[in-house]
């Protein structure tokens, strides 16, 4: 069986349709029953919906589902590692495929002011149909006037026999169909080179009178062994299409609905116009409309724009606020020393859902009008850092362990004892980090590291399963923070820092009487 296509998000894993561990929907009753009887993580069902894969954040998940359906903005506030980016990615996967393609059109009257246009599939198909219509109708050579058939090489001038245009000699009289006719003139061959017809033409222009007595142009073109007829109506349509200005696709239909702009620069977020050493000269340079680069706000059109640590954007938050309000943002050249500085594309569409994330301490650094815009058309959500240690939540943590192993794809399944050891580690971290008894931590990023490290140990030893001993080794030896390792080795962080400069430097810093 072929693998189902999965979006390019890190927490979504590809899987075979025959994989029985992946379920379309997993009820709480089904999950708890599987947890109580499971021998390994292979026995734990995993829901296919990414929102259902997020554990311990029930209120945030409900809000995220509403935000996806109603296209609302979100500000997620929590310490690192609690699932902010996972929620943002899960929202993007609930959205429909983009319906609009953004294109940049050359402006011949003012090349440095290209035009932005968004088009739907229907509008593009309509243009394609119009293009097919101007290609005229195809007829047999016998259906066109005789002199046209002769000039196109289908009919013999001597015996009027029709034959394929690729055949030079008439099959009936064996005369050369391509030979020039001899002029009936007393000057004979003297004037022939100037007045005789060409050997064989690819296109013949003629005129005819329409029913109203008006003369109109008809063009006949050889198309293989048939004739393409272009009347006045088709020619007018063709001229109209030829007058259309060239365009290029800036943001295609086939694009991601999840765009990350964490730590983005002004250019990365808002777009730019590339430099051209020839200044966009039409003869030797690159025209401005070909040098326009979209920003993250434009690439996220109809999708999700995720910005973690949004306070780090500093003054750029003001530009982001404008893009959110107007749902359009102009692209300009941002380097004043570049040829792109004189180029500007007005009103490029950027209708996105902003999912911003912040740590609690950084809230004062978020622009107040930006927060007001989010609250006015969205939600601010404070994520949980721990969950009660109940049988229900232990079952969800078992699902989390199974998900992490499935996503990694390089480590074996975990035994029942290993699952319980990981859950106990979650309980220990809730106590040591958050100071909460009888709870399980929801700072899952570091817990994911323990799972992967345990799996690496199992793989290195050739074990078929992650065992409890591997979890303990990962937790106590190899999975400790560097601060803990320094404290064990030197006794304190101060002594560890002095270890960088050595004992001699320490003595040199002492006061001498």
């Amino acid at each position: 069986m072929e693998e189902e296509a999965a979006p390019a998000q890190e927490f979504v894993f590809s899987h075979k349709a025959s994989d029985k561990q992946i379920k379309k929907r997993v009820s709480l009753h089904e999950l708890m029953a599987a947890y109580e009887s499971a021998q390994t993580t292979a026995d734990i069902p995993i829901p296919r919906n990414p929102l259902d894969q997020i554990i311990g954040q029930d209120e945030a998940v409900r809000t995220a589902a509403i935000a996806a359906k109603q296209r609302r903005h979100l500000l997620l506030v929590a310490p690192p590692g609690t699932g902010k980016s996972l929620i943002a990615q899960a929202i993007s996967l609930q959205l429909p495929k983009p319906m609009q393609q953004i294109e940049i059109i050359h402006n011949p009257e003012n090349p440095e002011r290209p035009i932005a246009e968004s088009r739907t599939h229907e509008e593009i198909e309509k243009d394609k149909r119009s293009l097919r219509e101007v290609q005229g109708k195809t007829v047999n050579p016998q259906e066109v006037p005789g002199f046209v058939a002769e000039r196109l090489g289908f009919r013999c001038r001597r015996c009027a026999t029709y034959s394929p245009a690729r055949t030079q000699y008439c099959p009936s009289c064996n005369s050369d169909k391509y030979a020039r006719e001899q002029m009936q003139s007393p000057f004979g061959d003297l004037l022939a080179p100037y007045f005789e017809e060409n050997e064989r033409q690819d296109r013949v222009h003629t005129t005819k009178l329409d029913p109203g007595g008006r003369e109109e142009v008809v063009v006949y073109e050889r198309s293989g062994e048939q004739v393409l007829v272009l009347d006045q109506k088709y020619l007018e349509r063709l001229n109209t299409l030829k007058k259309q200005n060239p365009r290029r696709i800036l943001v295609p239909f086939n694009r991601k609905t999840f765009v990350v702009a964490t730590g983005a620069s002004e250019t990365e977020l808002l777009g730019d116009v590339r430099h051209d050493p020839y200044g966009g000269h039409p003869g030797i340079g690159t025209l401005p409309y070909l040098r326009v680069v979209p920003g993250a706000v434009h690439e996220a059109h109809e999708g999700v724009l995720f910005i973690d640590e949004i306070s780090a954007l500093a003054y750029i938050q003001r530009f982001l606020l404008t893009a959110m309000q107007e749902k359009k943002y102009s692209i300009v050249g941002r380097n004043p020393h570049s040829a792109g500085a004189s180029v500007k594309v007005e009103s490029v569409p950027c209708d996105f859902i902003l999912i911003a994330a912040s740590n609690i301490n950084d809230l004062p650094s978020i622009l107040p009008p930006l927060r007001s815009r989010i609250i006015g058309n969205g939600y601010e959500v404070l994520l949980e850092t721990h969950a009660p240690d109940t049988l229900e939540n232990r079952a969800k943590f078992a699902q989390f362990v199974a998900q992490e192993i499935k996503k990694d794809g390089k480590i074996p399944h975990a035994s029942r004892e290993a699952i319980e050891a990981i859950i106990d580690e979650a309980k220990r971290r809730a106590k040591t980090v958050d100071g909460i008894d009888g709870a399980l931590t929801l700072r899952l990023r570091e817990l994911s590291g323990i799972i992967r490290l345990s799996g690496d140990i199992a793989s290195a030893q050739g074990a078929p399963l992650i065992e409890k001993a591997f979890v303990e080794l990962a937790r106590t030896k190899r999975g400790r923070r560097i601060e803990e390792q320094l404290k064990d080795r030197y006794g304190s962080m101060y002594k560890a820092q002095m270890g960088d400069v050595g004992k001699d430097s320490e003595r040199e810093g002492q006061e001498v009487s």
Side-chain angles (χ1 to χ4, degrees), residues 455-493:
D456 290 344
I457 296 171
S459 298
Q461 297 188 15
L465 293 173
I466 299 174
E467 300 292 350
K468 180 179 179 180
F470 302 148
V471 177
E472 290 298 322
L473 180 60
R475 181 182 72 83
T476 59
K477 297 292 184 182
R478 302 184 185 176
R480 293 184 305 157
R481 290 175 173 271
I482 194 65
E483 290 84 356
E484 295 175 346
Q485 297 179 44
L486 288 170
K487 188 175 180 180
D488 287 348
R489 178 175 296 181
Y490 294 98
S492 69
M493 284 297 297

Side-chain angles (χ1 to χ4, degrees), residues 206-412:
T206 66
T207 59
K208 71 174 183 178
L209 295 177
D210 64 10
R214 188 184 66 173
E215 188 179 72
E216 65 177 25
V217 176
V218 181
V219 177
Y220 298 92
E221 287 186 1
R222 189 174 62 254
S223 178
E225 295 304 324
Q226 291 189 307
V227 180
L228 182 65
V229 183
L230 301 174
D231 60 17
Q232 187 78 26
K233 179 178 66 174
Y234 289 121
L235 292 173
E236 289 174 354
R237 288 184 183 175
L238 183 61
N239 287 334
T240 300
L241 288 176
K242 286 182 177 179
K243 290 178 181 178
Q244 290 184 352
N245 297 324
R247 61 177 68 214
R248 64 176 280 258
I249 298 173
L250 185 71
V251 181
F253 286 115
N254 185 23
R255 61 183 185 266
K256 296 178 181 178
T257 56
F258 183 72
V259 177
V260 180
T262 301
S265 65
E266 186 177 332
T267 296
E268 292 170 325
L269 187 67
L270 306 173
D272 197 4
V273 180
R274 286 193 294 266
H275 174 66
D276 180 14
Y278 301 105
H281 188 282
I284 58 176
T286 303
L287 291 173
Y289 85 100
L290 296 172
R291 295 186 277 121
V292 178
V293 179
V297 296
H298 308 108
E299 293 174 327
H301 181 58
E302 298 184 290
V304 167
L305 177 65
F306 176 64
I307 304 178
D308 200 0
E309 308 294 347
I310 190 169
S311 60
L313 290 184
Y315 72 94
I316 302 177
Q317 295 179 60
R318 298 185 183 277
F319 305 136
L320 180 63
L321 173 62
T322 302
M324 290 173 61
Q325 289 175 331
E326 304 297 331
K327 299 184 179 180
K328 294 180 180 179
Y329 201 88
S330 300
I331 299 177
V332 298
R334 302 194 174 277
N335 184 352
H337 305 292
S338 165
S342 60
V343 180
K344 183 176 184 180
V345 187
E346 298 276 4
S347 303
V348 183
C350 58
D351 185 7
F352 55 83
I353 299 174
L354 174 66
I355 309 294
S358 173
N359 297 326
I360 297 172
N361 294 335
D362 294 331
L363 279 174
S365 300
I366 301 177
L367 194 69
L370 181 60
R371 286 190 61 186
S372 177
R373 171 60 56 177
I374 294 174
I375 295 172
N377 189 32
Y379 312 95
E380 291 187 338
V381 181
L382 179 63
L383 300 188
E384 302 290 344
T385 57
H386 59 273
D389 184 6
T390 62
L391 182 62
E392 174 183 326
N393 284 334
R394 282 183 169 258
K396 292 180 179 179
F397 263 80
Q399 173 190 306
F400 166 73
V401 176
Q403 289 171 186
E404 293 302 299
I405 292 173
K406 193 74 173 178
K407 283 185 286 185
D408 187 272
K410 296 177 288 187
I411 58 178

Side-chain angles (χ1 to χ4, degrees), residues 11-309:
F11 80 113
V12 180
F13 39 80
S14 60
H15 59 277
K16 294 182 179 180
S18 59
D19 193 338
K20 295 181 179 180
Q21 190 177 11
I22 310 300
K23 306 286 186 181
K24 185 175 182 180
R25 183 170 293 278
V26 180
S27 67
L28 180 59
H29 175 75
E30 182 182 358
L31 178 61
M32 293 183 66
Y35 168 66
E36 291 178 354
S37 62
Q39 297 302 310
T40 70
T41 49
D43 302 322
I44 305 294
I46 300 174
R48 185 176 301 170
N49 187 344
L51 278 177
D52 294 336
Q53 296 175 19
I54 299 170
I55 68 169
Q57 306 289 354
D58 296 345
E59 183 61 32
V61 167
R62 282 191 289 269
T63 304
I66 296 172
K69 183 178 181 180
Q70 301 296 110
R71 293 190 62 82
R72 305 298 187 196
H73 304 300
L74 276 183
L75 174 61
L76 303 175
V77 181
T82 49
K84 299 186 292 291
S85 62
L86 301 188
I87 292 175
Q89 293 181 54
I91 290 175
S92 71
L93 294 176
Q94 311 301 310
L95 300 178
K97 292 182 178 180
M99 300 297 293
Q100 294 181 343
Q101 175 174 276
I102 302 176
E103 300 176 354
I104 301 297
I105 306 171
H106 174 53
N107 183 358
E109 296 179 357
N110 190 355
E112 294 180 337
R113 293 293 180 271
I115 301 167
E117 182 182 66
S118 61
R119 295 202 296 170
T120 63
H121 283 287
E122 292 74 16
E123 291 171 333
I124 292 176
E125 283 301 318
K126 182 179 178 181
D127 286 349
K128 288 181 179 179
R129 286 195 299 270
S130 298
L131 185 60
R132 287 194 293 267
E133 288 175 359
V134 301
Q135 293 176 355
K137 61 179 179 179
T138 304
V139 299
N140 293 322
Q142 292 82 355
E143 299 178 52
V144 302
F147 75 93
V148 172
E150 290 175 1
R151 293 181 183 180
L152 294 176
F154 291 106
R155 178 171 136 156
C156 177
R157 291 184 172 93
R158 176 174 295 180
C159 67
T161 300
Y162 286 88
S163 60
R166 65 177 182 273
T167 305
Q168 182 174 354
Y169 295 95
C170 174
S172 177
C173 66
N174 205 33
S175 61
D176 187 352
K177 293 191 301 178
Y178 302 163
R180 296 171 176 173
E181 294 181 352
Q182 294 294 325
M183 294 184 60
Q184 302 300 318
S185 166
F187 299 101
D189 294 338
L190 282 175
L191 298 179
Y194 301 98
F195 293 100
E196 287 176 357
E197 298 176 358
N198 293 331
E199 296 180 355
R200 186 183 68 165
Q201 299 177 21
D202 295 326
R203 171 182 287 198
V204 177
H205 293 257
T206 66
T207 59
K208 71 174 183 178
L209 295 177
D210 64 10
R214 188 184 66 173
E215 188 179 72
E216 65 177 25
V217 176
V218 181
V219 177
Y220 298 92
E221 287 186 1
R222 189 174 62 254
S223 178
E225 295 304 324
Q226 291 189 307
V227 180
L228 182 65
V229 183
L230 301 174
D231 60 17
Q232 187 78 26
K233 179 178 66 174
Y234 289 121
L235 292 173
E236 289 174 354
R237 288 184 183 175
L238 183 61
N239 287 334
T240 300
L241 288 176
K242 286 182 177 179
K243 290 178 181 178
Q244 290 184 352
N245 297 324
R247 61 177 68 214
R248 64 176 280 258
I249 298 173
L250 185 71
V251 181
F253 286 115
N254 185 23
R255 61 183 185 266
K256 296 178 181 178
T257 56
F258 183 72
V259 177
V260 180
T262 301
S265 65
E266 186 177 332
T267 296
E268 292 170 325
L269 187 67
L270 306 173
D272 197 4
V273 180
R274 286 193 294 266
H275 174 66
D276 180 14
Y278 301 105
H281 188 282
I284 58 176
T286 303
L287 291 173
Y289 85 100
L290 296 172
R291 295 186 277 121
V292 178
V293 179
V297 296
H298 308 108
E299 293 174 327
H301 181 58
E302 298 184 290
V304 167
L305 177 65
F306 176 64
I307 304 178
D308 200 0
E309 308 294 347

